[in-house]
Amino acid sequence: MKRRKQWLLLPAVLLALVLSGCAGGASGSGEAAAAAVPPEITESSLNETGEEEEPHPGTEADEETEKQQRTDTAGGETDVRETDVRAMDTDGIQVTAENSTVVSRDPADRQQKTPSPEMVQKAAEALNYYFDVTLDTKDFEITSRFSPEEVYEGDLYKANTTLFFASPENREKTGVFTGEYVTPEYMVSFLENGEIKDIYLSGMNTVWEDAQRPPTVEEAKKVTRQFLISKKLFAEKDIELLGAAFTNDTSIAVIYKDGKDGAIVVTVDVASGKVDCFDRQSRGRAMRWIAPLDAGAGKG
């Protein structure tokens, strides 16, 4: 009976809304209408049969709630992206491919933290073993970031912890990294089992001599193949090439098969002709380093 009374009252209420809206003028009509609607009608909508139904997704209250949720979500993700960009810029480490990919949607997992001395030492040893880099960790501002395992665009991102070795010398004049290196910086990532996932070197032009001429893609294949063998990343009989191409005018990426569904990306610095990165990834993700070029987007 209460529902039927509400239905009968509805025309009168609507008339009151129209009158109050006209009297209040265009600028105040929204607020006046909201104030005039009885609570029992704003709290539940009525269909044509006079029965209660769930609020329609387009109601003002729902739109406000949805807007707040979008704001909260977007704010968290924006914070993540901005934190990542600031971290990458501040650290001076610029990953050529997929540097804008968001691996974790949880800002708490993307915060920069201070790594343990043991992990710092392990990263320093890896830099020395794979790239003959000898460094004093005291000369760097070292932070870490954990990225949980997640499937993104169909590709699996394995959980890993990344250490950033940022040099204050690259920020002495302005306080931020401007893109000009004074000294090299490094990035090292570990999988949960302790294995190295990737190592990136940046600013090596400050210490490496330029080659007599830039390497060709075929020469880059030879250089990276020898790198995999000499650093015991693969036995020679297990090396299987998947593709290679220039990723830009400063780097050549060579992709090799790594297990059933994985791949390892090895990049060669064009100026010096030396390997400056390797990264274990899903095969689909790895092939994106060179697929756009093979499709004609980067070939001239």
Side-chain angles (χ1 to χ4, degrees):
M1 191 66 181
K2 181 179 178 181
R3 294 174 184 168
R4 187 168 184 79
K5 287 181 179 179
Q6 289 176 343
W7 174 247
L8 293 174
L9 286 171
L10 187 56
V13 171
L14 293 175
L15 180 59
L17 288 176
V18 172
L19 293 175
S20 61
C22 293
S27 61
S29 60
E31 296 178 358
V37 179
E40 62 266 28
I41 294 181
T42 59
E43 292 174 359
S44 63
S45 61
L46 304 175
N47 59 22
E48 293 181 357
T49 61
E51 295 181 352
E52 290 180 327
E53 62 182 17
E54 292 297 324
H56 193 276
T59 62
E60 183 179 347
D62 288 342
E63 288 178 355
E64 183 62 31
T65 300
E66 186 179 349
K67 179 180 178 182
Q68 185 60 45
Q69 290 174 344
R70 287 199 304 267
T71 301
D72 292 343
T73 303
E77 181 129 337
T78 298
D79 290 342
V80 173
R81 291 179 183 270
E82 289 179 352
T83 298
D84 285 348
V85 171
R86 283 196 299 269
M88 299 298 275
D89 288 347
T90 301
D91 295 339
I93 303 215
Q94 299 177 327
V95 181
T96 300
E98 301 194 344
N99 61 339
S100 62
T101 300
V102 176
V103 177
S104 170
R105 303 307 199 279
D106 184 1
D109 288 332
R110 304 286 287 182
Q111 291 178 350
Q112 303 292 312
K113 300 178 181 178
T114 302
S116 66
E118 293 78 14
M119 183 165 284
V120 170
Q121 182 61 31
K122 187 175 180 180
E125 291 173 355
L127 286 166
N128 180 257
Y129 175 75
Y130 290 106
F131 293 100
D132 299 321
V133 171
T134 301
L135 54 82
D136 187 342
T137 57
K138 295 179 181 178
D139 295 334
F140 293 85
E141 297 170 352
I142 307 172
T143 56
S144 68
R145 181 191 69 208
F146 173 73
S147 299
E149 182 173 290
E150 155 171 297
V151 175
Y152 184 81
E153 294 184 354
D155 289 326
L156 177 66
Y157 287 69
K158 293 184 177 180
N160 63 88
T161 298
T162 301
L163 274 69
F164 300 92
F165 288 74
S167 173
E169 292 184 38
N170 291 325
R171 277 159 291 283
E172 278 187 351
K173 293 183 179 180
T174 62
V176 295
F177 180 68
T178 61
E180 295 294 329
Y181 288 97
V182 176
T183 186
E185 299 187 343
Y186 314 100
M187 187 173 77
V188 182
S189 298
F190 297 94
L191 297 172
E192 287 187 309
N193 61 6
E195 293 182 0
I196 297 289
K197 176 189 175 294
D198 60 62
I199 298 179
Y200 288 82
L201 312 184
S202 297
M204 299 307 293
N205 61 298
T206 61
V207 293
W208 284 347
E209 294 183 0
D210 289 348
Q212 292 183 350
R213 62 174 178 80
T216 64
V217 171
E218 289 303 314
E219 288 171 337
K221 291 177 184 178
K222 296 178 181 179
V223 171
T224 55
R225 181 185 179 89
Q226 184 57 36
F227 175 82
L228 294 177
I229 296 171
S230 65
K231 300 305 178 182
K232 297 181 173 58
L233 287 166
F234 287 95
E236 186 170 6
K237 63 180 179 63
D238 296 328
I239 295 179
E240 183 176 337
L241 178 70
L242 295 177
F246 278 86
T247 59
N248 53 44
D249 60 355
T250 64
S251 183
I252 300 173
V254 186
I255 319 297
Y256 294 93
K257 183 178 179 180
D258 185 15
K260 182 180 178 181
D261 301 312
I264 185 168
V265 181
V266 188
T267 63
V268 175
D269 172 55
V270 171
S272 65
K274 297 182 179 181
V275 172
D276 62 357
C277 154
F278 72 87
D279 192 342
R280 295 180 183 274
Q281 303 179 349
S282 69
R283 193 168 303 172
R285 183 186 176 197
M287 294 306 293
R288 293 176 191 172
W289 285 63
I290 61 174
L293 299 183
D294 289 339
K299 288 185 176 180

